[in-house]
Amino acid sequence: MIEQLNHRLRLTLADSRVMVGQMLAFDKHMNLVLADCEEFRTVKTKGEAKGKAKQIKRTLGLVILRGESIVSLSVDAPPPTSAASRQAKAALAAGPGVGRPAGRGIPMAPPGMPPPGLAGPVRGMGGAAIAAGPVSFARPPPPMGGPPGAPPHGFRPPMPPPGFRPPMPPPGMGPPGFPPQPPAGFQPPYPRPPQGPPS
């Protein structure tokens, strides 16, 4: 099928219609895309001239045909020559527009320079004053007093609300700064040795 790309094809469909057009694309299901497509139908006339068939032509343009409906396919004409396509393009009149790269109204920056919209703060519109000089991020700022992770100088922890009782420590643990105590009712597995000066 790839050999027929851009050729003018004549296709017969399952409903006896005939399509003629330039094949632009196809897929594994033999679905086709035809450009400049024309449809030809044969219709039997009624009335005085019974039995005579009449062919009706209809111009469709760009068409996508389902491969399932195609019964036969034949090449009608070779692809158009490059001279013919050049003549067709020359026939199109040029418009008043000019081709330019798309942007947002901001002129292009010279190579190596940031675009004007990304160059930094505008003078007088926020940001550091020009007199302050450039900002350097080579090292972290100096600490605010105390080791890292410590609260800042002058920080006081919040006071608990009135009537608040601190929670009780878990069993076996005393208040901070005191040795741990055994739970209530705990009996050691062996008797304690007597304490005091040896006799």
Side-chain angles (χ1 to χ4, degrees):
M1 283 294 288
I2 202 159
E3 298 89 25
Q4 278 83 34
L5 273 178
N6 296 322
H7 282 70
R8 195 145 182 87
L9 301 182
R10 180 175 297 272
L11 305 160
T12 305
L13 304 183
D15 59 357
S16 74
R17 285 183 295 166
V18 175
M19 304 284 229
V20 178
Q22 182 183 0
M23 183 174 73
L24 299 181
F26 68 95
D27 65 2
K28 65 181 180 179
H29 306 289
M30 214 170 110
N31 298 324
L32 300 180
V33 179
L34 299 177
D36 304 326
C37 187
E38 295 171 330
E39 173 194 65
F40 297 93
R41 284 188 307 157
T42 305
V43 181
K44 293 180 181 176
T45 57
K46 293 182 180 179
E48 296 172 10
K50 281 190 175 180
K52 286 195 173 181
K54 181 176 157 187
Q55 194 173 44
I56 300 172
K57 176 184 170 186
R58 192 166 63 149
T59 304
L60 301 176
L62 188 68
V63 171
I64 299 174
L65 275 176
R66 187 174 171 87
E68 191 178 58
S69 65
I70 298 171
V71 174
S72 72
L73 176 145
S74 63
V75 176
D76 202 39
T81 61
S82 59
S85 62
R86 270 191 245 121
Q87 287 174 355
K89 286 180 184 174
L92 296 173
V98 178
R100 290 190 189 135
R104 286 181 253 134
I106 300 172
M108 296 293 291
M113 298 290 292
L118 303 174
V122 179
R123 175 178 236 142
M125 297 294 293
I130 301 299
V135 179
S136 172
F137 294 104
R139 60 180 173 207
M144 297 294 289
H153 181 68
F155 174 77
R156 288 188 293 178
M159 297 298 293
F164 176 76
R165 288 184 352 169
M168 297 298 292
M173 296 187 68
F178 292 94
Q181 300 293 321
F186 176 76
Q187 294 291 327
Y190 51 87
R192 287 189 177 178
Q195 293 184 355
S199 49

